[in-house]
């Protein structure tokens, strides 16, 4: 919307976390003489790739994820704070055994969201068991498949804090397939507040991560760079908000 308002022509590309696909797209932009690029960097993106783009006249701004050593502006949600919001909400309902499902330590997003979960659990004096972290899932299908592993945990967590809404919705489907009621038998939280979250069954308690504001500020910063203004290569965090719906409730012990 910000680029359109400024009458800029833009191209969208999804790298699906494939580094070579991202590099091919950057090369294409350079060949086309593009003015700049806003990137959510693929897993494993080295700072050198971003430096190369800038050195070749393609100013870069990062969103959602940061890359160590990349001296460019970064705009993203405060992921640690946001996941702490969701975890603290579950704790306030009485949950003590809370699993964290999804994400990867290979991205700043995955690391920060898991750290927010740890921070909340430790601040409440609650135990965190390694088995309660089911890393990896990032899609609805992967969340659905993780339900079996989650339900098989011997200590039977009563709630799951999920890395994103897709994982949460997939997990709820898996829980329902096993004959349990998400939001009643097991509480589930998501992250991102996608449109689908509000119409899921049950409606998903989730964290709004300021995506629209992240996009607006990133586009504004890139336009400022293109207009010759000085833009500090700093990281700006947007504060998330918790949106409570039907997928969370008081803990229920499973037999």
């Amino acid at each position: 919307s910000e680029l359109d308002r400024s009458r800029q022509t833009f191209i969208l590309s999804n790298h699906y976390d494939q580094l070579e696909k991202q590099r091919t797209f950057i090369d294409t932009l350079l060949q086309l003489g593009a003015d700049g690029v806003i990137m959510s960097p693929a897993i494993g993106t080295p700072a050198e790739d971003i430096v190369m783009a800038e050195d070749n006249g393609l100013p870069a701004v990062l969103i959602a994820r940061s890359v160590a050593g990349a001296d460019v502006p970064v705009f993203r949600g405060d992921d640690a704070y946001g996941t702490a919001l969701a975890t603290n909400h579950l704790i306030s309902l009485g949950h003590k055994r809370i699993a964290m499902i999804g994400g990867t330590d290979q991205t700043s997003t995955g690391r920060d969201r898991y750290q927010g979960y740890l921070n909340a659990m430790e601040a409440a004096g609650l135990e965190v068991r390694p088995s309660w972290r089911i890393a990896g899932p990032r899609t609805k299908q992967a969340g659905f498949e993780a339900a079996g592993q989650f339900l098989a945990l011997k200590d039977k967590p009563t709630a799951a804090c999920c890395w994103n809404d897709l994982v949460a919705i997939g997990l709820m489907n898996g829980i329902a397939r096993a004959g349990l009621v998400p939001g009643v038998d097991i509480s589930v939280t998501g992250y991102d507040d996608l449109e689908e979250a509000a119409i899921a069954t049950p409606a998903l308690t989730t964290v709004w991560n300021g995506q629209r504001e992240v996009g607006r500020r990133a586009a504004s910063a890139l336009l400022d760079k293109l207009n010759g203004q000085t833009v500090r290569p700093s990281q700006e965090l947007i504060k998330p908000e918790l949106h409570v719906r039907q997928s969370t409730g008081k803990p229920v012990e499973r037999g």
Side-chain angles (χ1 to χ4, degrees), residues 20-246:
E20 286 308 312
K21 188 179 287 291
Q22 176 178 276
R23 285 172 171 164
T24 298
F25 184 63
I26 295 298
D27 286 343
T28 300
L29 291 178
L30 289 169
Q31 292 171 24
L32 292 173
D35 295 315
V37 62
I38 298 172
M39 297 172 59
S40 175
I43 289 176
T45 299
E48 292 75 18
D49 282 15
I50 298 167
V51 172
M52 182 277 295
E54 291 242 317
D55 287 348
N56 283 276
L58 191 69
V61 172
L62 303 187
I63 56 171
R65 299 171 176 174
S66 57
V67 173
D71 200 26
V72 297
V74 181
F75 298 89
R76 48 187 293 234
D78 190 339
D79 291 302
Y81 177 84
T83 308
L85 282 178
T87 309
N88 281 324
H89 167 65
L90 293 169
I91 293 170
S92 73
L93 291 170
H95 295 276
K96 296 181 179 180
R97 302 191 306 278
I98 304 170
M100 174 76 187
I101 300 180
T104 169
D105 285 340
Q106 293 178 289
T107 68
S108 59
T109 309
R111 292 189 296 271
D112 288 354
R113 291 186 186 180
Y114 183 58
Q115 189 60 51
Y117 158 80
L118 289 178
N119 292 346
M121 294 288 281
E122 291 169 0
L126 297 177
E127 180 184 11
V128 177
R129 299 187 182 181
S131 62
W132 291 352
R133 188 189 187 191
I134 302 176
R138 289 180 289 158
T139 66
K140 197 183 301 183
Q141 179 66 32
F144 178 80
E145 293 169 357
Q149 183 179 348
F150 170 77
L151 293 173
L153 292 172
K154 292 182 179 179
D155 31 33
K156 292 183 169 57
T158 58
C161 181
C162 294
W163 184 76
N164 67 14
D165 287 350
L166 296 177
V167 171
I169 292 169
L171 181 74
M172 290 198 301
N173 289 338
I175 290 170
R177 180 74 63 88
L180 299 172
V181 181
V184 176
D185 296 313
I186 296 170
S187 289
V188 179
T189 64
Y191 206 105
D192 292 331
D193 198 20
L194 301 178
E195 183 178 350
E196 190 175 354
I199 61 174
T201 303
L204 181 64
T205 294
T206 186
V207 177
W208 170 81
N209 205 29
Q211 297 96 320
R212 187 176 184 86
E213 185 63 14
V214 166
R216 188 192 67 76
R217 295 191 194 187
S220 179
L222 181 59
L223 292 171
D224 286 346
K225 289 181 78 168
L226 297 180
N227 290 327
Q229 299 182 37
T230 301
V231 179
R232 292 186 300 116
S234 60
Q235 178 168 265
E236 188 171 336
L237 299 179
I238 310 302
K239 184 156 284 191
E241 299 173 0
L242 178 68
H243 292 173
V244 178
R245 298 194 178 102
Q246 301 167 338

